[in-house]
Amino acid sequence: MNKIPVIAIDGSSSSGKSTLSKYISNYLKWHLLDSGIFYRSLALVLLENQIKYEPNSYEYEKKIASIALNLNITCIKKYDILITMLNNKNITNDINTPNISELASILATYPQVRYNLLKKQRNFRQYPGLIANGRDMGSVVFPDAKVKIFLDANIKIRAKRRILQLKKKGFFIRNQDIIKEIKKRDNRDTERLISPLKPTKNALIIDSSNISIEQIIDTTLQYICHRFNIKYKKNK
Ligand code: DC
């Protein structure tokens, strides 16, 4: 039994899980895993090496699974920024583009890819504890996580957040295009055969559509502190 505590935060894209995880990780001073970076980094390697997507090809799955197995990814957290390094190169900005999001969600449907990334994600489980966010943190990667949180929000709100996020990075995308993109990714994430996005029975489900991030942080931290028997101090 692994005694290092884990808090799993799963949810759909732009549901607020990255912001929430970062805040909790700063509050508790625990490690942080943003598991989407693995699928995004794999997408980047394939695009950079001009490896063309070949649907329904066993050879393609074998090739990308082997690349996934050899990904050398490390993360550095500096205050509010999570820096992703691939072979010691900072790729944080390169993996946050719409192209990468699209390919990452396709690659995430391949069972061999997911299997080969499991150990790499579990290696982030270090003392004093880990906050892990993604789609299958509570269901597959860390099923023994003591606290599981599932975040959701309606698609219009998520689209607004995504547009703002992308705007900050210099991408200007129309609302209807973002909604289409999010719907496509939602379908892939929830309908894939392996590790689909869905809340586990014991997850605290939060709909973040109509509540501020401050309220979500407050509710979640109260719940976490209660579960871990820690005294909750607001604005620590
Ligand atoms: O969280 P994100 O947007 O960075 O994730 C990018 C893609 O990676 C997402 O469309 C689905 C996939 N993903 C996954 O399947 N499982 C995870 N634990 C994390 C991400």
Side-chain angles (χ1 to χ4, degrees), residues 44-63:
L44 181 70
V45 172
L46 300 189
L47 287 180
E48 282 186 347
N49 289 287
Q50 292 166 20
I51 298 174
K52 253 184 75 191
Y53 171 48
E54 293 170 42
N56 307 319
S57 155
Y58 178 66
E59 286 310 310
Y60 178 74
E61 175 162 9
K62 243 173 62 183
K63 195 184 336 175

mmCIF file of all heavy atoms in Angstrom, residues 44-63:
data_model
loop_
_atom_site.group_PDB
_atom_site.id
_atom_site.type_symbol
_atom_site.label_atom_id
_atom_site.label_comp_id
_atom_site.label_asym_id
_atom_site.label_seq_id
_atom_site.Cartn_x
_atom_site.Cartn_y
_atom_site.Cartn_z
ATOM 1 N N LEU A 44 3.089 16.851 -29.520
ATOM 2 C CA LEU A 44 4.139 17.751 -30.010
ATOM 3 C C LEU A 44 5.253 16.964 -30.711
ATOM 4 O O LEU A 44 5.693 17.337 -31.807
ATOM 5 C CB LEU A 44 4.727 18.554 -28.832
ATOM 6 C CG LEU A 44 5.820 19.546 -29.189
ATOM 7 C CD1 LEU A 44 5.244 20.724 -29.974
ATOM 8 C CD2 LEU A 44 6.525 20.072 -27.935
ATOM 9 N N VAL A 45 5.677 15.865 -30.095
ATOM 10 C CA VAL A 45 6.754 15.060 -30.694
ATOM 11 C C VAL A 45 6.306 14.542 -32.067
ATOM 12 O O VAL A 45 7.073 14.578 -33.032
ATOM 13 C CB VAL A 45 7.132 13.877 -29.761
ATOM 14 C CG1 VAL A 45 8.089 12.928 -30.447
ATOM 15 C CG2 VAL A 45 7.742 14.396 -28.466
ATOM 16 N N LEU A 46 5.053 14.097 -32.157
ATOM 17 C CA LEU A 46 4.578 13.559 -33.444
ATOM 18 C C LEU A 46 4.519 14.650 -34.511
ATOM 19 O O LEU A 46 4.919 14.436 -35.653
ATOM 20 C CB LEU A 46 3.201 12.916 -33.284
ATOM 21 C CG LEU A 46 3.101 11.747 -32.295
ATOM 22 C CD1 LEU A 46 1.744 11.067 -32.402
ATOM 23 C CD2 LEU A 46 4.194 10.718 -32.517
ATOM 24 N N LEU A 47 4.030 15.838 -34.113
ATOM 25 C CA LEU A 47 3.940 16.932 -35.092
ATOM 26 C C LEU A 47 5.338 17.386 -35.520
ATOM 27 O O LEU A 47 5.590 17.574 -36.707
ATOM 28 C CB LEU A 47 3.156 18.118 -34.508
ATOM 29 C CG LEU A 47 1.635 17.919 -34.372
ATOM 30 C CD1 LEU A 47 0.977 19.150 -33.779
ATOM 31 C CD2 LEU A 47 0.996 17.612 -35.734
ATOM 32 N N GLU A 48 6.236 17.507 -34.541
ATOM 33 C CA GLU A 48 7.593 17.965 -34.880
ATOM 34 C C GLU A 48 8.322 16.973 -35.777
ATOM 35 O O GLU A 48 9.156 17.344 -36.581
ATOM 36 C CB GLU A 48 8.401 18.202 -33.599
ATOM 37 C CG GLU A 48 8.018 19.511 -32.942
ATOM 38 C CD GLU A 48 8.899 19.863 -31.748
ATOM 39 O OE1 GLU A 48 9.655 18.992 -31.257
ATOM 40 O OE2 GLU A 48 8.801 21.005 -31.297
ATOM 41 N N ASN A 49 8.004 15.694 -35.604
ATOM 42 C CA ASN A 49 8.682 14.675 -36.426
ATOM 43 C C ASN A 49 7.862 14.269 -37.652
ATOM 44 O O ASN A 49 8.160 13.268 -38.306
ATOM 45 C CB ASN A 49 9.002 13.451 -35.570
ATOM 46 C CG ASN A 49 10.110 13.769 -34.588
ATOM 47 O OD1 ASN A 49 11.265 13.889 -34.958
ATOM 48 N ND2 ASN A 49 9.735 13.969 -33.333
ATOM 49 N N GLN A 50 6.838 15.052 -37.894
ATOM 50 C CA GLN A 50 5.957 14.835 -39.062
ATOM 51 C C GLN A 50 5.468 13.394 -39.162
ATOM 52 O O GLN A 50 5.481 12.791 -40.254
ATOM 53 C CB GLN A 50 6.669 15.267 -40.337
ATOM 54 C CG GLN A 50 6.850 16.776 -40.350
ATOM 55 C CD GLN A 50 7.827 17.249 -41.397
ATOM 56 O OE1 GLN A 50 8.114 16.549 -42.353
ATOM 57 N NE2 GLN A 50 8.342 18.435 -41.224
ATOM 58 N N ILE A 51 5.082 12.855 -38.013
ATOM 59 C CA ILE A 51 4.507 11.499 -38.015
ATOM 60 C C ILE A 51 3.006 11.658 -38.225
ATOM 61 O O ILE A 51 2.298 12.198 -37.363
ATOM 62 C CB ILE A 51 4.838 10.763 -36.699
ATOM 63 C CG1 ILE A 51 6.357 10.634 -36.583
ATOM 64 C CG2 ILE A 51 4.127 9.404 -36.630
ATOM 65 C CD1 ILE A 51 6.861 10.071 -35.295
ATOM 66 N N LYS A 52 2.555 11.235 -39.380
ATOM 67 C CA LYS A 52 1.166 11.494 -39.780
ATOM 68 C C LYS A 52 0.192 10.602 -39.031
ATOM 69 O O LYS A 52 0.471 9.413 -38.807
ATOM 70 C CB LYS A 52 0.999 11.256 -41.284
ATOM 71 C CG LYS A 52 0.837 12.569 -42.051
ATOM 72 C CD LYS A 52 0.583 12.341 -43.514
ATOM 73 C CE LYS A 52 -0.842 11.866 -43.767
ATOM 74 N NZ LYS A 52 -1.031 11.398 -45.125
ATOM 75 N N TYR A 53 -0.957 11.167 -38.650
ATOM 76 C CA TYR A 53 -1.992 10.394 -37.964
ATOM 77 C C TYR A 53 -2.572 9.353 -38.911
ATOM 78 O O TYR A 53 -2.978 9.668 -40.023
ATOM 79 C CB TYR A 53 -3.074 11.363 -37.468
ATOM 80 C CG TYR A 53 -4.312 10.688 -36.920
ATOM 81 C CD1 TYR A 53 -4.213 9.638 -36.001
ATOM 82 C CD2 TYR A 53 -5.580 11.105 -37.310
ATOM 83 C CE1 TYR A 53 -5.344 9.023 -35.502
ATOM 84 C CE2 TYR A 53 -6.727 10.499 -36.806
ATOM 85 C CZ TYR A 53 -6.600 9.452 -35.907
ATOM 86 O OH TYR A 53 -7.718 8.845 -35.420
ATOM 87 N N GLU A 54 -2.573 8.096 -38.457
ATOM 88 C CA GLU A 54 -3.121 7.012 -39.288
ATOM 89 C C GLU A 54 -4.198 6.285 -38.496
ATOM 90 O O GLU A 54 -3.889 5.394 -37.714
ATOM 91 C CB GLU A 54 -2.025 5.995 -39.641
ATOM 92 C CG GLU A 54 -0.948 6.515 -40.550
ATOM 93 C CD GLU A 54 0.207 5.521 -40.646
ATOM 94 O OE1 GLU A 54 -0.042 4.299 -40.742
ATOM 95 O OE2 GLU A 54 1.355 5.974 -40.596
ATOM 96 N N PRO A 55 -5.456 6.694 -38.683
ATOM 97 C CA PRO A 55 -6.518 6.038 -37.919
ATOM 98 C C PRO A 55 -6.616 4.555 -38.282
ATOM 99 O O PRO A 55 -6.303 4.168 -39.421
ATOM 100 C CB PRO A 55 -7.789 6.792 -38.312
ATOM 101 C CG PRO A 55 -7.436 7.639 -39.475
ATOM 102 C CD PRO A 55 -5.955 7.737 -39.582
ATOM 103 N N ASN A 56 -7.033 3.749 -37.332
ATOM 104 C CA ASN A 56 -7.235 2.301 -37.529
ATOM 105 C C ASN A 56 -5.981 1.551 -37.988
ATOM 106 O O ASN A 56 -6.103 0.559 -38.705
ATOM 107 C CB ASN A 56 -8.365 2.027 -38.548
ATOM 108 C CG ASN A 56 -9.627 2.749 -38.170
ATOM 109 O OD1 ASN A 56 -9.980 2.786 -36.992
ATOM 110 N ND2 ASN A 56 -10.286 3.356 -39.147
ATOM 111 N N SER A 57 -4.818 2.032 -37.614
ATOM 112 C CA SER A 57 -3.606 1.313 -37.999
ATOM 113 C C SER A 57 -2.922 0.792 -36.735
ATOM 114 O O SER A 57 -2.559 1.567 -35.832
ATOM 115 C CB SER A 57 -2.663 2.254 -38.770
ATOM 116 O OG SER A 57 -1.329 1.805 -38.646
ATOM 117 N N TYR A 58 -2.737 -0.501 -36.690
ATOM 118 C CA TYR A 58 -2.079 -1.126 -35.539
ATOM 119 C C TYR A 58 -0.625 -0.679 -35.465
ATOM 120 O O TYR A 58 -0.081 -0.425 -34.389
ATOM 121 C CB TYR A 58 -2.189 -2.650 -35.653
ATOM 122 C CG TYR A 58 -1.483 -3.371 -34.527
ATOM 123 C CD1 TYR A 58 -1.941 -3.257 -33.212
ATOM 124 C CD2 TYR A 58 -0.358 -4.159 -34.768
ATOM 125 C CE1 TYR A 58 -1.287 -3.893 -32.172
ATOM 126 C CE2 TYR A 58 0.297 -4.804 -33.736
ATOM 127 C CZ TYR A 58 -0.172 -4.661 -32.445
ATOM 128 O OH TYR A 58 0.485 -5.285 -31.412
ATOM 129 N N GLU A 59 0.018 -0.554 -36.625
ATOM 130 C CA GLU A 59 1.423 -0.120 -36.680
ATOM 131 C C GLU A 59 1.579 1.281 -36.079
ATOM 132 O O GLU A 59 2.533 1.564 -35.359
ATOM 133 C CB GLU A 59 1.921 -0.091 -38.147
ATOM 134 C CG GLU A 59 2.181 -1.466 -38.739
ATOM 135 C CD GLU A 59 3.066 -2.328 -37.835
ATOM 136 O OE1 GLU A 59 4.118 -1.823 -37.412
ATOM 137 O OE2 GLU A 59 2.688 -3.483 -37.551
ATOM 138 N N TYR A 60 0.604 2.149 -36.417
ATOM 139 C CA TYR A 60 0.641 3.525 -35.889
ATOM 140 C C TYR A 60 0.530 3.488 -34.369
ATOM 141 O O TYR A 60 1.300 4.150 -33.664
ATOM 142 C CB TYR A 60 -0.502 4.339 -36.504
ATOM 143 C CG TYR A 60 -0.596 5.764 -35.996
ATOM 144 C CD1 TYR A 60 0.319 6.733 -36.413
ATOM 145 C CD2 TYR A 60 -1.602 6.148 -35.098
ATOM 146 C CE1 TYR A 60 0.235 8.048 -35.960
ATOM 147 C CE2 TYR A 60 -1.691 7.456 -34.640
ATOM 148 C CZ TYR A 60 -0.778 8.393 -35.070
ATOM 149 O OH TYR A 60 -0.866 9.698 -34.609
ATOM 150 N N GLU A 61 -0.393 2.691 -33.860
ATOM 151 C CA GLU A 61 -0.557 2.621 -32.397
ATOM 152 C C GLU A 61 0.730 2.129 -31.733
ATOM 153 O O GLU A 61 1.156 2.660 -30.713
ATOM 154 C CB GLU A 61 -1.740 1.709 -32.014
ATOM 155 C CG GLU A 61 -1.819 1.554 -30.489
ATOM 156 C CD GLU A 61 -3.152 1.045 -29.944
ATOM 157 O OE1 GLU A 61 -4.007 0.644 -30.752
ATOM 158 O OE2 GLU A 61 -3.314 1.045 -28.709
ATOM 159 N N LYS A 62 1.356 1.120 -32.361
ATOM 160 C CA LYS A 62 2.601 0.573 -31.805
ATOM 161 C C LYS A 62 3.690 1.657 -31.771
ATOM 162 O O LYS A 62 4.400 1.816 -30.795
ATOM 163 C CB LYS A 62 3.074 -0.601 -32.666
ATOM 164 C CG LYS A 62 3.091 -1.909 -31.893
ATOM 165 C CD LYS A 62 3.391 -3.117 -32.709
ATOM 166 C CE LYS A 62 4.738 -3.130 -33.376
ATOM 167 N NZ LYS A 62 4.958 -4.308 -34.215
ATOM 168 N N LYS A 63 3.765 2.403 -32.895
ATOM 169 C CA LYS A 63 4.801 3.436 -33.003
ATOM 170 C C LYS A 63 4.597 4.528 -31.948
ATOM 171 O O LYS A 63 5.516 4.895 -31.218
ATOM 172 C CB LYS A 63 4.752 4.042 -34.422
ATOM 173 C CG LYS A 63 5.993 4.822 -34.732
ATOM 174 C CD LYS A 63 6.029 5.551 -36.088
ATOM 175 C CE LYS A 63 5.179 5.064 -37.217
ATOM 176 N NZ LYS A 63 5.177 5.854 -38.417
#
